Amino acid sequence: MPRAVALGWRLLPLPVVAFAAFVASAPYLWPDPIGRTVALFRFRAEEMAGQGRIWSELDVTSRADALSRVGAWLGERRSTTGAAAQWLAQRAGIEWTPPMGIDLILAVAGALVLAALVLRQGVASPAALAAIVLGGETALIVLGMRADFERYLYPVLLAAVVCAGLFVGQGWMLVQAAAVRLIKGEHRVRSADASVSEMSGQPLRV
C-alpha cells in the first residue's frame, strides 16, 4: 500500500503536465490558454451540433440516444464477436449473419470486475486509476456526443476492449486456478492410495 500511495502522489501533477503539453502543441492557445481552450471546446460542440442538423439521421437528441447509438455501433454494426461468428459460419458453408455479438456483454462484465477490484484495492490503486481514465473518457463521449459519427467512439471502444480483456483474463485465471487445485487434489489422492498400498503389504508391527 505505501508504494501505491507514493505512485498516487506522483500522478497528481499529471493533469497539469498534460494541459501544458496540450497548450504547447497548439499556438492558438498561447495568448489565453484557459479562455481559448474553452472557446475551442465550445466551437467543437457547435460543429458537432451543426453536423447533426445537416445529417438529420446522425443527430443525437439526448444522452439516452447517445447510449443507444454506442450500443448499436459496438454491439451490432462493428461487433468483433459477431463478425467472428459470421466468419466461422461461412467457413462451415452456412450463410448466417448474427443480429449482434457479445462484445458489450463482455465489456459490461469487465467493468463490474474492475469496480470490484477498486472496492477491494482502494482508491489509491492501479485499478482505481484505470477506472477513472476509462470511465471518464466514456462519460465525456456520451455526454458530449451531438452527431453519430463512428470516429467519435474510439475512446469508448478502448474502454470496452480493456474491460472485455479484463473479464476474459480474470476468467482464464480462475480456470487455471481450478485446474491446479484439481491436479493437486488428484495427486494427493494418488499419493494416499500409494501409501495405503505400501502399508498393506507390510506386516503389522507391535
Side-chain angles (χ1 to χ4, degrees):
M1 184 58 69
R3 182 179 180 183
V5 173
L7 176 61
W9 281 109
R10 288 196 293 268
L11 289 174
L12 284 178
L14 187 58
V16 177
V17 174
F19 181 72
F22 175 67
V23 172
S25 63
Y28 166 76
L29 303 176
W30 294 352
D32 183 10
I34 297 179
R36 291 202 171 187
T37 297
V38 173
L40 186 66
F41 279 94
R42 184 181 298 115
F43 170 77
R44 190 71 187 101
E46 293 174 355
E47 184 183 26
M48 292 179 66
Q51 291 171 339
R53 288 191 297 269
I54 295 172
W55 295 283
S56 58
E57 71 278 7
L58 301 179
D59 186 27
V60 178
T61 58
S62 65
R63 298 317 95 210
D65 187 21
L67 284 174
S68 67
R69 291 173 185 264
V70 170
W73 275 114
L74 301 184
E76 300 175 16
R77 303 176 196 171
R78 293 292 184 266
S79 170
T80 301
T81 55
Q86 184 179 11
W87 182 83
L88 292 174
Q90 290 176 349
R91 291 300 177 274
I94 303 172
E95 290 297 331
W96 174 65
T97 301
M100 64 177 296
I102 61 171
D103 305 53
L104 288 181
I105 297 175
L106 294 176
V108 171
L112 294 176
V113 172
L114 183 58
L117 290 176
V118 173
L119 291 175
R120 187 176 67 182
Q121 298 176 5
V123 294
S125 64
L129 176 62
I132 292 171
V133 173
L134 298 176
E137 66 183 23
T138 300
L140 284 175
I141 292 299
V142 173
L143 293 175
M145 182 187 295
R146 296 294 184 272
D148 184 20
F149 284 100
E150 186 177 4
R151 62 180 180 271
Y152 296 152
L153 298 181
Y154 288 152
V156 182
L157 176 62
L158 173 63
V161 169
V162 172
C163 289
L166 176 63
F167 176 74
V168 173
Q170 290 291 319
W172 178 245
M173 290 174 61
L174 291 175
V175 170
Q176 286 183 314
V180 169
R181 287 195 298 268
L182 180 62
I183 293 173
K184 288 183 176 180
E186 291 182 351
H187 179 71
R188 284 196 295 268
V189 170
R190 291 178 180 175
S191 299
D193 290 343
S195 299
V196 171
S197 299
E198 291 178 0
M199 292 177 61
S200 62
Q202 296 178 359
L204 181 62
R205 295 182 179 180
V206 295

